[in-house]
Amino acid sequence: MSLLHINYFSAALEKQSAMYAILPTGDGPFRTMYMLHGLSDDYTIWLRRTSIERYADELGICVVLLDGARSFYTDAENGGAKYEQHILESVAFIDRTLHTVNAPEARGIGGLSMGGYGAMKLGLKHPEIFGSVASHSGVLDLATFVDLGNNPEFTAIFGAHVAPTEDCFALAETPGAKPALYIDCGEDDFLIEHNRRFHAHLTQLGIAHEYAEYPGAHSWEYWDQHVPAALRFHLAHSAAHA
């Protein structure tokens, strides 16, 4: 296994950025999972709080840990930082630089909390790029979470309201193919109702997805336990398209 710490220029952010890439043992080409962090963390947190290196090596999958600051992985309103574009350019950078399978069915995107929202939003918006999505404890009902007008940080990102292009419920309703969807959440997580509402919405729309609730809260103990399932979900989906 190799761990690469990559510093690179982000055209979308107009500044230097960084990522980690975990490459399993072997020659590749590798299927890839992009992982997004939560609101209070950065791209290094997965290595510090989980065993994701070991999981990636055991499963033979490339895992890329990207940074989204506190952006909700969104291109901010009024000319702010373009973090959605930053994630997409980072995917293109990895495909140019490493021995990865350059096909949507071989790319997955996952995350926790804010990153679970980011993964679901980006996967639903860009099925031509991502073949699977995994959300742990995601902020999936964004409109009930962000207090626009009373929170300057969220208002700077989303403007006066959450646009349909940033809302997972609205994106699920758009016609066309969807990536494979995996969602889990702890039964004692403060975001459990977000996940239950989105699960019910997908079910009502007839969109295939895997949903599970497990004992646990909004904690690294929970996420470390369930990250391997997300990686296996992506591998199973991509194998079905091989």
Side-chain angles (χ1 to χ4, degrees):
M1 181 193 71
S2 300
L3 176 64
L4 309 179
H5 193 187
I6 301 171
N7 297 92
Y8 63 113
F9 182 78
S10 167
L13 302 181
E14 300 181 330
K15 63 182 285 293
Q16 292 291 325
S17 189
M19 67 171 80
Y20 277 114
I22 304 166
L23 289 177
T25 303
D27 297 327
F30 299 110
R31 289 170 287 178
T32 307
M33 188 75 168
Y34 294 86
M35 299 298 287
L36 309 181
H37 62 78
L39 183 65
S40 62
D41 293 314
D42 66 10
Y43 71 103
T44 70
I45 195 69
W46 294 98
L47 294 176
R48 294 186 285 128
R49 300 301 298 272
T50 76
S51 296
I52 199 164
E53 285 183 88
R54 177 165 56 84
Y55 304 148
D57 193 44
E58 290 172 352
L59 294 171
I61 184 173
C62 173
V63 175
V64 180
L65 312 176
L66 298 176
D67 197 82
R70 294 173 61 88
S71 68
F72 280 82
Y73 303 95
T74 294
D75 293 346
E77 289 288 310
N78 303 318
K82 293 178 169 51
Y83 271 95
E84 178 174 329
Q85 295 307 309
H86 170 63
I87 299 303
L88 300 181
E89 73 175 357
S90 299
V91 171
F93 173 87
I94 286 293
D95 281 336
R96 291 195 308 269
T97 307
L98 302 180
H99 196 194
T100 56
V101 180
N102 188 352
E105 58 270 18
R107 293 191 208 95
I109 187 166
L112 62 86
S113 197
M114 178 186 80
Y117 159 77
M120 186 62 64
K121 179 191 76 167
L122 291 170
L124 290 173
K125 285 179 79 169
H126 301 285
E128 77 285 359
I129 297 177
F130 301 107
S132 72
V133 174
S135 169
H136 307 286
S137 312
V139 185
L140 299 182
D141 192 354
L142 187 70
T144 68
F145 183 83
V146 295
D147 187 11
L148 300 177
N150 294 316
N151 186 310
E153 180 182 25
F154 292 157
T155 303
I157 295 171
F158 297 106
H161 64 277
V162 176
T165 55
E166 309 305 314
D167 181 80
C168 293
F169 283 73
L171 289 167
E173 295 172 4
T174 58
K178 301 291 188 291
L181 303 178
Y182 169 94
I183 302 164
D184 73 48
C185 192
E187 294 168 344
D188 296 320
D189 196 303
F190 76 98
L191 292 172
I192 186 66
E193 293 302 328
H194 281 238
N195 288 265
R196 289 171 176 168
R197 286 194 293 271
F198 191 64
H199 165 51
H201 187 63
L202 293 175
T203 301
Q204 183 180 30
L205 293 172
I207 296 174
H209 63 288
E210 185 173 319
Y211 177 80
E213 297 178 9
Y214 299 103
H218 206 76
S219 69
W220 282 104
E221 290 78 12
Y222 176 88
W223 299 320
D224 186 41
Q225 184 178 359
H226 295 287
V227 163
L231 300 180
R232 289 192 295 268
F233 178 83
H234 173 54
L235 290 175
H237 168 78
S238 58
H241 289 79

